[in-house]
Structures are given as structure tokens and as C-alpha cells.
Amino acid sequence: MREQQVGAYAGGPLGELVGAWLSFDEGLRSGSGFDVEAYERLRRVLRGCAVAWAGCDAVPREGANVLVDVFPATEANARLYEGEAADQVMEAAYELHALVVPASRCGIRTAGGSGKPGDRASSAAAPGRLRVWSLLRGA
């Protein structure tokens, strides 16, 4: 099933991000333990996305979904472990969060507008994408 999910996003930063996230998350969720290689790959890919998407005003919705899920899903996975293993997963959650936080501070809004009173939908954003004022700056 994972191959089907990744195949839908093959190529480019989005495909790499989805693949790296699924590999890291599924390893933890399945109880296989902390995979250092998958973790380091996810960190590299997040930094690569920061570079690739730095000049963009929109990222694919699926990419935003991964960015939003990184901390809460990793934190939840830590509860599957005990002692040092749980501590290692929580430390990773905070380190990954630190890479993603600049995106969450940037005012992400959907193509339908920011939700602020009087704000009209922007026609510049394509359907299925999110408008982003600044993306992963400083990652």
C-alpha cells in the first residue's frame, strides 16, 4: 500500500517528502523502533523542500498535510515506546518540528482566502494547493 501512496506523488520534492515521511512514520507506528536512516532521510528531504519551495507562493496540499502531521504523529508514536526509546522519538519530534515551524508561522491559507473578514478568494492559487506567504525559511 505504501508504494501505491508514494507512486501517486512520484518525482520532485513532494514525492520525496511523502516517501520519506511514510517510511519514518510507518516504522515507528508498526513498533519496529526508531530508524535512524529514515529519520535522517526525512530531515534531508525537509531541508530540500525548503530550498525547492522557497520562491513558491503555493505548495501541494499533500505536502502541507505532511508538514502539519509531522509533530503530532511523531509525538503520538512516542507513546508506543517506553524509556529511552520513547525519549528518542520525542526528541526527533521536536527536532522535526523545529524544521517545520517556520512554515506554520507564515500564514498558510487555502485558495479560498485566509478566513479573515473581508478577505476574498485569490485566483492566483490553483485548486488543490495552499497559498503560502513564506515557506520553511531558515530550515
Side-chain angles (χ1 to χ4, degrees), residues 5-129:
Q5 291 173 325
V6 174
Y9 308 106
L14 178 59
E16 291 179 36
L17 178 60
V18 170
W21 169 245
L22 289 174
S23 178
F24 177 70
D25 181 55
E26 288 178 0
L28 289 174
R29 203 167 6 105
S30 70
S32 299
F34 189 86
D35 182 342
V36 174
E37 191 173 306
Y39 172 68
E40 291 301 328
R41 177 178 171 226
L42 180 56
R43 288 179 48 158
R44 269 192 320 275
V45 168
L46 283 169
R47 287 188 181 104
C49 288
V51 171
W53 294 339
C56 298
D57 64 351
V59 298
R61 186 175 309 275
E62 293 83 2
N65 288 343
V66 170
L67 296 175
V68 168
D69 285 345
V70 164
F71 182 81
T74 306
E75 179 185 37
N77 286 331
R79 296 182 189 127
L80 301 172
Y81 300 91
E82 296 178 357
E84 289 182 25
D87 293 344
Q88 184 181 30
V89 175
M90 278 307 301
E91 183 176 332
Y94 284 110
E95 289 174 359
L96 293 170
H97 180 67
L99 291 174
V100 173
V101 165
S104 68
R105 289 185 185 161
C106 69
I108 294 175
R109 66 181 183 146
T110 65
S114 69
K116 294 179 184 173
D119 186 26
R120 297 191 174 252
S122 169
S123 60
R129 293 188 165 266

